[in-house]
Amino acid sequence: MSIVTNKLGALALLLGATLALVQPAQAIPAFARKYGLPCSACHEAWPKLNSFGQTFKDEGYQLNNDRDAPFYQNPAYWPVAMRITPHWHFEGNSRVASDVVPGDGTSGQQQSTINASGFDLPGIDILTGGTLAKNISFLLVPSIESDSGTISFESAWVRLDRLHGSPWLNFKFGKFELDLPISEKRIMTLSNNGGFYQLYHFLPPGDVTPTSMGDNQLGAELLGHSADDHTRYALSLLSSSDGELGLPGGRSYDGYFHLSQAFLLPHLGLQRVGAYGYVGLAPTFLLTSDGVPIPGSGRGNRSFYRAGAYASFYLGRFDFTGLVQRASDNVFLANATAANQTLPDGAQSPVWNTGTLEAHYTYSPQLVFIGRYELVRMTRQALATNPGDFANLDAFTLGYRYYPFMHSRAGLAWHQEVATVRSKLTSLNGQDQRSTSVFMGFDFAF
Amino acid sequence: MRIRPQILYCSILLISLATGVASAQNAGASSGYPVAQGKLTEPEHRGKGLYRRYCVGCHGVRGDGNGENAPYLDPKPRDFTQATFKCRSTASGSLPLDSDLYATITRGIHASGMPSWNPLPSRDRSDLIAYIKTFSPRFHEEQPGPALPIPAEPPASAESTQRGAAVFQDMNCWSCHGKDGRGNGPSAHTLTDSRGYPITPYDLTTGSRFKCGESDRDLFRDLMTGLDGTPMPSFTDALKPDQLWDVVHYIRSLQTNHGQDGEAAMVGSKTETGK
């Protein structure tokens, strides 16, 4: 099965197209309304959670003050919130492969700079969540894509909380965001280049491994935490479909774990260190009928992994997270080759390291500055003939969010951001490519 | 001259780190609002920033319980300007100890909108208390009384429960709490708190958590101190400690769910015992 052809420009496409779909979700004024809390009670700066918000989430969207069960609510209360971000953005992409004669695919290719700008909308998320009963929580997030109008399910899960009365045992089932070291659904930056984590999405050019840890996954999760939420763990068993419905691949599963420990440093606040790992299996080809792939008939499973460790530190109003990850994909997945076919010469399974440093300066709950630097360094290329630094990547994002008011009915932020990504030697002529976004807009939820 | 982008990125991050640390030290605030210090002490100042972040929506900017959510809450958020608190280890009418307030905000108040603030670092909780005390001059003018001693609990027994039932009868607990403790006594619907809002006597048959803690000692203390600002009186003069323990055992016998409730294992609740 040839899923994507191994093209050098694939990276630029990957950044431009698929990531426009990456959409932050969680910021749920329905909870604020239910409990009468201002956004700032749960969010260090919306959508990033503080320790109170994290505990609330870990308790299954419950405060445990016995007002959690839905019948404490006015019957007119409906746990629904919506979030959208009308914005203006600029996207600049250098050395994009384009036909010499537009419209004529046989005219040969050249490198072009493509700059676009204008007013835009992302998709819209309809966030519904809360409790079905005391200690049974749920989240359902239908989202409407802005371009196609299609509706998809960003999240849909039920969680049984406090099994045997213990915070250590909770069971989640459905489609959900993994308990990631840094939440991508609660990312503080929104642009095409800055609105996602390279660490979750990066694949070497030509690699077709169907995974990005940042996307919501289908599966079941056992998770828990100590009474003070300082020790947290999550163990997930997932369909290896990267959250796609309808069992497209077959019957392989992925596994994920995350363990973290927080400790309180006097005068500094809560610091957290953690480690995680993701191991997956993905089919490299499908059986076909008359040449047409038969859905769900995935064969030739090959594996991949991601493993990392991180630390989050608070220093007064400043917090930063540093994260290192090692990743590798099987040689067949990395070279888009079916496991029953011959590999190209020099094919090997690629290995790469990523580093992420994210810093926030929360001047007040109404003004936050965000800086992030991510790098990807290949340590082994998918093809031995590739230069050693091929597809190495540096991504930098700077932005701020200003919240003109803070109450418990709605949230509004003015958001400005610049993000730029450089990938080494990936252009048609083997030169570096750069992709830059400038983004400003109103992010609101109610 | 060409600066390597990594170096540029990292220096920008480091500069923002430096400013972050510097101004955190200046303001002495972590995740609260930057607020003017005025005459406030350092803990009060920090507490004020945190209060703006966490508490203001219910308890109000002036601490008078008139936050924007107050109209929708029942019971109403506490008016700190009156310095009248339900959960105390001190005698009726006395100010609470800091440790009482600390235990309350750590535990939250059951059957009310007041959440448990246990997730906040302990220093933040102490600073919040320092600040809410500035809303009433009473904390400058008076000293809280000493914590009333709680004697050791005698073993629960059928006899003790029976004696407790008799006390419940004699002391007219039933006139408010109802014959079977369901909060439906003859005068229940006439009761108001000190701010004039209607208040329901606690339904003693539900759950196992009370506003001021869940343990037998907490319950004993409630009966001893009363819940200031509510019609629930103090019985420390009218009843001897042994009688109070009998009542505690009787109340436990009304709680059919006691001990089965998963929430009984809740976080902050434990901090309250032994005060």
Side-chain angles (χ1 to χ4, degrees):
Chain A
M1 178 180 82
S2 156
I3 309 168
V4 174
T5 46
N6 188 348
K7 261 256 169 103
L8 294 184
L11 187 64
L13 264 182
L14 205 113
L15 296 178
T18 56
L19 298 167
L21 302 177
V22 173
Q23 237 268 299
Q26 268 83 340
I28 308 180
F31 295 158
R33 285 205 309 275
K34 175 172 175 181
Y35 292 103
L37 292 165
C39 311
S40 62
C42 287
H43 296 280
E44 187 72 33
W46 168 53
K48 178 180 188 284
L49 293 178
N50 60 24
S51 56
F52 185 81
Q54 183 68 46
T55 308
F56 175 72
K57 176 174 178 267
D58 289 346
E59 290 289 343
Y61 303 139
Q62 301 188 100
L63 284 180
N64 280 318
N65 65 353
D66 214 50
R67 292 285 158 113
D68 297 315
F71 50 78
Y72 281 100
Q73 257 38 71
N74 184 316
Y77 173 81
W78 213 42
V80 177
M82 298 198 194
R83 178 183 183 187
I84 194 158
T85 316
H87 60 277
W88 177 94
H89 63 136
F90 162 86
E91 305 298 337
N93 290 291
S94 72
R95 299 181 179 137
V96 178
S98 66
D99 292 338
V100 174
V101 180
D104 179 358
T106 60
S107 59
Q109 290 217 301
Q110 61 181 9
Q111 297 187 153
S112 309
T113 297
I114 302 200
N115 290 339
S117 73
F119 297 95
D120 212 349
L121 283 179
I124 180 172
D125 281 328
I126 302 164
L127 302 143
T128 69
T131 50
L132 298 172
K134 179 78 190 161
N135 288 332
I136 303 183
S137 24
F138 76 100
L139 181 70
L140 172 62
V141 185
S143 70
I144 307 174
E145 308 301 340
S146 51
D147 42 356
S148 57
T150 47
I151 298 184
S152 60
F153 290 100
E154 176 76 19
S155 290
W157 54 257
V158 172
R159 204 185 104 153
L160 310 179
D161 309 312
R162 293 185 159 265
L163 298 171
H164 292 288
S166 162
W168 288 104
L169 282 182
N170 305 280
F171 180 72
K172 200 187 247 187
F173 194 94
K175 184 173 178 185
F176 49 82
E177 182 184 31
L178 291 177
D179 185 47
L180 296 171
I182 322 182
S183 165
E184 193 171 77
K185 299 299 166 193
R186 237 173 272 106
I187 196 167
M188 296 295 283
T189 48
L190 304 173
S191 72
N192 278 5
N193 281 299
F196 65 98
Y197 287 105
Q198 298 288 350
L199 105 112
Y200 300 139
H201 295 274
F202 175 85
L203 290 177
D207 189 325
V208 296
T209 309
T211 185
S212 34
M213 278 163 59
D215 294 345
N216 289 357
Q217 306 287 340
L218 283 157
E221 187 173 71
L222 191 66
L223 66 165
H225 55 92
S226 57
D228 59 6
D229 213 27
H230 286 188
T231 312
R232 303 179 67 251
Y233 81 90
L235 272 178
S236 327
L237 178 70
L238 310 161
S239 274
S240 17
S241 58
D242 198 28
E244 218 181 293
L245 309 184
L247 304 181
R251 53 183 179 203
S252 56
Y253 292 89
D254 298 354
Y256 172 76
F257 83 89
H258 176 197
L259 182 69
S260 73
Q261 176 67 46
F263 45 93
L264 209 57
L265 289 186
H267 300 278
L268 290 181
L270 205 62
Q271 326 291 332
R272 188 174 284 279
V273 292
Y276 64 93
Y278 189 110
V279 211
L281 269 186
T284 53
F285 64 98
L286 296 172
L287 298 183
T288 56
S289 169
D290 286 336
V292 180
I294 306 172
S297 67
R299 292 290 186 276
N301 286 341
R302 290 296 182 270
S303 67
F304 58 92
Y305 76 81
R306 311 281 180 265
Y310 67 97
S312 287
F313 290 106
Y314 277 83
L315 288 167
R317 291 187 192 159
F318 183 82
D319 70 88
F320 76 95
T321 298
L323 189 151
V324 286
Q325 177 182 269
R326 191 162 178 85
S328 178
D329 290 347
N330 175 272
V331 57
F332 287 95
L333 292 167
N335 288 285
T337 308
N340 58 357
Q341 308 278 313
T342 331
L343 286 164
D345 282 347
Q348 52 189 11
S349 78
V351 182
W352 65 94
N353 297 322
T354 65
T356 303
L357 183 60
E358 174 152 341
H360 305 130
Y361 174 64
T362 311
Y363 171 71
S364 86
Q366 290 181 252
L367 179 62
V368 60
F369 298 89
I370 306 130
R372 181 187 314 124
Y373 173 49
E374 281 199 282
L375 55 83
V376 177
R377 294 291 177 267
M378 299 296 302
T379 58
R380 191 161 70 200
Q381 296 286 341
L383 288 172
T385 48
N386 286 344
D389 56 349
F390 174 68
N392 279 357
L393 188 141
D394 292 271
F396 186 66
T397 309
L398 260 189
Y400 73 91
R401 285 166 71 79
Y402 168 65
Y403 312 80
F405 60 84
M406 193 53 68
H407 60 57
S408 52
R409 294 292 183 273
L412 172 71
W414 167 249
H415 182 114
Q416 270 191 305
E417 174 186 335
V418 192
T420 177
V421 179
R422 187 205 50 191
S423 49
K424 287 293 273 181
L425 315 180
T426 46
S427 83
L428 188 64
N429 301 344
Q431 292 167 291
D432 296 353
Q433 283 182 298
R434 180 172 289 281
S435 180
T436 302
S437 308
V438 179
F439 181 108
M440 57 182 109
F442 288 99
D443 188 11
F444 67 94
F446 58 90
Chain B
M1 188 188 78
R2 195 162 173 272
I3 308 174
R4 292 187 63 204
Q6 290 96 319
I7 296 178
L8 182 71
Y9 301 158
C10 288
S11 20
I12 294 177
L13 279 183
L14 282 175
I15 290 166
S16 50
L17 177 108
T19 34
V21 174
S23 71
Q25 278 163 353
N26 291 340
S30 56
S31 63
Y33 272 91
V35 286
Q37 178 143 14
K39 293 203 194 73
L40 299 178
T41 64
E42 197 42 48
E44 290 166 357
H45 179 220
R46 282 200 53 196
K48 182 175 183 180
L50 295 163
Y51 181 88
R52 287 281 162 85
R53 176 186 270 273
Y54 296 110
C55 321
V56 83
C58 292
H59 292 285
V61 181
R62 280 180 291 275
D64 54 6
N66 286 325
E68 62 182 13
N69 286 300
Y72 312 104
L73 294 171
D74 175 26
K76 297 295 174 206
R78 188 70 65 253
D79 172 357
F80 297 131
T81 64
Q82 301 198 341
T84 304
F85 293 91
K86 291 186 180 175
C87 305
R88 291 161 294 104
S89 57
T90 57
S92 178
S94 162
L95 292 173
L97 299 174
D98 284 3
S99 55
D100 295 332
L101 294 172
Y102 186 88
T104 306
I105 67 170
T106 300
R107 188 186 55 239
I109 301 186
H110 188 60
S112 88
M114 169 72 182
S116 155
W117 297 100
N118 191 46
L120 304 190
S122 50
R123 179 180 177 212
D124 287 3
R125 280 175 274 156
S126 311
D127 292 345
L128 280 162
I129 287 162
Y131 179 62
I132 61 177
K133 285 164 64 181
T134 65
F135 287 120
S136 163
R138 275 189 68 193
F139 283 99
H140 285 295
E141 294 156 3
E142 299 168 32
Q143 286 297 315
L148 301 181
I150 302 180
E153 177 174 359
S157 63
E159 295 75 49
S160 167
T161 303
Q162 251 163 29
R163 289 195 300 269
V167 175
F168 194 79
Q169 186 64 31
D170 297 346
M171 299 308 296
N172 288 337
C173 307
W174 55 271
S175 66
C176 298
H177 289 283
K179 292 264 181 243
D180 49 6
R182 290 189 181 277
N184 54 358
S187 53
H189 61 280
T190 63
L191 301 175
T192 56
D193 69 12
S194 59
R195 293 167 75 199
Y197 295 109
I199 187 168
T200 331
Y202 197 83
D203 177 348
L204 301 173
T205 65
T206 53
S208 60
R209 286 165 73 189
F210 299 96
K211 297 217 166 199
C212 301
E214 65 172 58
S215 70
D216 286 0
R217 290 172 67 87
D218 296 327
L219 202 44
F220 183 96
R221 203 189 37 238
D222 279 352
L223 301 177
M224 204 167 52
T225 64
L227 270 58
D228 282 3
T230 81
M232 171 66 194
S234 152
F235 292 95
T236 191
D237 297 330
L239 295 171
K240 291 202 239 346
D242 279 348
Q243 289 176 298
L244 289 176
W245 280 122
D246 291 340
V247 178
V248 168
H249 295 148
Y250 172 62
I251 292 174
R252 288 300 190 205
S253 75
L254 297 174
Q255 294 177 314
T256 40
N257 289 331
H258 179 53
Q260 297 165 16
D261 192 342
E263 296 161 26
M266 253 295 293
V267 198
S269 332
K270 292 189 194 108
T271 52
E272 180 64 345
T273 45
K275 292 258 161 55

